[in-house]
Amino acid sequence: MRLKCIGCEVLARAIYLCAAQSPHLVDVVLLERGLHNTPAKLRTQLQDQIDASAAQGYDAVVLAYGLCGQATAGLISRGVPLAIPRAHDCITLFLGSRQRYQEQFQASPGTYWYTQDYIERRSDQGSTLALGLGSDTDLQTVYAEYVEKYGRENADYLMEVMGAWQRHYQRAVYIDLGVGDGTAVEAYAQGEADRRGWTFERMAGDLVLIRRLLYGDWGDDSGSTSGSDFLILKPGQSVKTAYDDRIIDCVDLS
Amino acid sequence: MDQLLKDIYAGVIDGQSALVQEKVKDALASGLNPGVILKEGMIAAMREVGRRFEEGEFYVPEMLIAARAMQSGLALLKPHLQESDVKSAGKVVIGTVKGDLHDIGKNLVAMMLEGAGFEIYDLGTDVTPQKFIETARSVDADIIAMSALLTTTMTNMKVTIDALADAGLRSSLKVMVGGAPITDQYAAQIGADGYAVDASRAVSVAKSLLSH
């Protein structure tokens, strides 16, 4: 098969590795991680890529994305099938299963997740926010802008309020994907945890979902109430949010 | 309008907390009716803040500092308010759902509702269905307001609504929901009574839920 993979750059190394080893011919397009903050814009860019691939001779398009704040809900498959992992966000793709992420989330919802590409590819100089959530905005720039507009006292208040959710966090996890040298990023994550008084954990990642996505091993969606690990859209179908364990589902457009 | 009231009104809109406090003190000292200060100074100002937000003139930071200015004035005013000055618009129990730790939006909704005369019982973040139920029961709430930022946690809104039904409370109060991944359709699907796209519109939704 000829596959076109459209993926988020936070998965870059994993995608390149699995694409290189895939039995299929895989072309990779990476989109910026910062698009997570603007789901509508991300959706438009994804749809543009999907639309363009219809005339490029691929047998299928695969998305290395999750639901990602509803960014992928509403995407339409064109001409060839579209495969998407059933995942809320990239953390599932790093951990290798929805169930594993769910267990981790239930055990400790206040977790910051760090991975190599995520940190390497950040665009800001300021503090980095959590995977799956993050805003990349440089906090110093924001603060300076607030001081100018609203005065220092209000600026201090706004920074405190806007950043308050970070205080609810208790744990930093570095996910080691075993691709490339993540030593520096792990040390950075450890440092952030120390600085903020969080516990630190190093967790082995699992590339199984990315590998299966790029190997064309998408499984059979029938006969399972929670759905298989991948949603496969036929041409002309659209992604919709499932609001249950399936996370995403497809709907016929007509 | 009295100049002090105008100053309070403008101070709240501009998010000038210290100025609002000073003018509220002056207004009280000059013998202005506390109920009038509240209604014509602060509640009216928050209504204008909400309007500007809906028009796209104000963003979240402007709303936050205005609400803070309003609250700082209200704190000074409260000891002077008589029962008759403040007719509660309703009692709202508010929190982010179980598993969700993100509360900027929820806090903003709480402040806007407070600015519109609602009594707020803020349960904070990561609120279990049981906690919503207990509080709603003990304060005799009119509305339960839930927020979620994540698609991983939004399904706990339905869990909470179902738990309210099991507890026999569902018909005696209204449920409103909001947060980044929430839509009208989702709100309808899980059986919520109301959904608002932002904190300003949450006020009109809450009012309309209690008006019939």
Side-chain angles (χ1 to χ4, degrees):
Chain A
M1 283 197 291
R2 277 176 65 92
L3 299 179
K4 176 168 172 176
C5 171
I6 310 165
C8 178
E9 65 174 347
V10 302
L11 287 153
R13 287 169 189 269
I15 291 172
Y16 287 134
L17 177 76
C18 297
Q21 296 175 335
S22 171
H24 305 294
L25 199 157
V26 184
D27 289 334
V28 174
V29 174
L30 297 182
L31 300 185
E32 279 173 38
R33 53 169 265 191
L35 287 166
H36 179 95
N37 300 333
T38 49
K41 205 167 149 193
L42 173 54
R43 188 180 306 123
T44 305
Q45 293 209 10
L46 287 171
Q47 191 65 59
D48 286 349
Q49 286 291 341
I50 292 167
D51 292 351
S53 59
Q56 292 167 340
Y58 294 105
D59 297 297
V61 175
V62 301
L63 291 191
Y65 275 94
L67 180 54
C68 299
Q70 312 260 41
T72 54
L75 288 177
I76 300 163
S77 174
R78 311 266 194 217
V80 294
L82 178 69
I84 313 175
R86 289 185 197 275
H88 281 287
D89 50 46
C90 54
I91 301 163
T92 294
L93 305 180
F94 289 125
L95 293 179
S97 80
R98 279 175 283 173
Q99 292 76 14
R100 190 175 171 205
Y101 179 36
Q102 190 63 26
E103 284 162 20
Q104 286 295 329
F105 190 82
Q106 274 167 1
S108 183
T111 301
Y112 256 68
W113 300 90
Y114 295 88
T115 62
Q116 189 176 358
D117 297 277
Y118 181 72
I119 300 301
E120 284 173 340
R121 288 169 179 263
R122 66 187 167 151
S123 53
D124 61 295
Q125 298 304 307
S127 130
T128 301
L129 303 181
L131 266 172
L133 275 179
S135 151
D136 279 351
T137 320
D138 181 334
L139 295 178
Q140 285 307 319
T141 313
V142 173
Y143 181 68
E145 189 191 319
Y146 286 167
V147 171
E148 194 184 326
K149 273 195 196 163
Y150 315 117
R152 188 164 299 278
E153 202 232 344
N154 273 331
D156 288 339
Y157 169 73
L158 287 172
M159 295 312 283
E160 190 194 320
V161 172
M162 302 293 222
W165 62 274
Q166 296 177 45
R167 283 201 297 274
H168 301 304
Y169 278 60
Q170 305 122 11
R171 179 175 75 150
V173 177
Y174 170 69
I175 306 176
D176 182 6
L177 292 171
V179 189
D181 181 2
T183 322
V185 172
E186 182 177 350
Y188 170 79
Q190 171 89 62
E192 286 286 284
D194 293 345
R195 193 166 65 80
R196 298 168 191 259
W198 298 333
T199 60
F200 176 80
E201 272 177 56
R202 179 176 188 279
M203 206 175 275
D206 187 341
L207 293 181
V208 64
L209 287 175
I210 295 298
R211 185 169 294 120
R212 287 180 56 199
L213 182 72
L214 296 180
Y215 282 33
D217 177 16
W218 305 321
D220 178 5
D221 211 24
S222 59
S224 160
T225 50
S226 60
S228 70
D229 293 330
F230 299 90
L231 174 72
I232 318 294
L233 272 70
K234 296 185 197 119
Q237 287 185 318
S238 172
V239 182
K240 69 164 190 173
T241 313
Y243 303 121
D244 58 24
D245 291 344
R246 291 170 304 158
I247 301 173
I248 47 172
D249 207 349
C250 58
V251 58
D252 286 317
L253 291 180
S254 55
Chain B
M1 196 196 276
D2 188 282
Q3 186 58 43
L4 282 169
L5 282 180
K6 282 186 193 160
D7 292 343
I8 292 167
Y9 178 87
V12 168
I13 291 173
D14 293 341
Q16 300 297 326
S17 197
L19 178 91
V20 169
Q21 285 180 309
E22 184 195 318
K23 297 295 175 184
V24 167
K25 281 182 199 157
D26 290 351
L28 286 169
S30 77
L32 267 173
N33 179 305
V36 171
I37 302 174
L38 177 69
K39 274 177 235 134
E40 295 180 21
M42 298 200 270
I43 292 182
M46 288 309 286
R47 201 180 304 126
E48 174 63 13
V49 168
R51 192 194 65 78
R52 291 191 191 182
F53 182 80
E54 287 178 29
E55 297 285 321
E57 275 176 63
F58 270 17
Y59 295 94
V60 168
E62 284 90 351
M63 253 181 146
L64 281 169
I65 60 171
R68 176 177 179 243
M70 182 273 299
Q71 283 182 322
S72 71
L74 189 61
L76 292 174
L77 205 54
K78 261 186 181 160
H80 303 274
L81 288 169
Q82 306 291 319
E83 205 56 39
S84 57
D85 292 332
V86 241
K87 194 177 157 288
S88 167
K91 293 176 187 167
V92 181
V93 172
I94 190 168
T96 73
V97 292
K98 176 144 183 49
D100 210 302
L101 304 174
H102 311 94
D103 59 359
I104 296 176
K106 182 270 294 171
N107 293 341
L108 202 49
V109 170
M111 289 191 281
M112 290 305 288
L113 288 174
E114 188 180 21
F118 286 87
E119 279 175 73
I120 305 300
Y121 300 86
D122 189 344
L123 303 182
T125 61
D126 193 14
V127 180
T128 61
Q130 201 49 42
K131 183 75 188 159
F132 274 117
I133 289 167
E134 281 166 16
T135 314
R137 208 173 250 148
S138 69
V139 307
D140 191 20
D142 300 301
I143 293 176
I144 285 188
M146 292 184 273
S147 106
L149 177 73
L150 306 174
T151 56
T152 36
T153 56
M154 63 191 286
T155 47
N156 284 330
M157 292 179 165
K158 181 169 186 332
V159 174
T160 307
I161 290 174
D162 292 347
L164 283 168
D166 291 343
L169 280 175
R170 185 64 192 86
S171 56
S172 62
L173 48 74
K174 302 290 183 185
V175 174
M176 54 191 281
V177 294
I182 313 300
T183 59
D184 252 332
Q185 295 94 305
Y186 181 64
Q189 190 183 320
I190 61 172
D193 301 299
Y195 158 75
V197 69
D198 58 46
S200 173
R201 273 162 273 230
V203 173
S204 38
V205 169
K207 282 181 176 166
S208 78
L209 285 180
L210 298 186
S211 71
H212 43 74

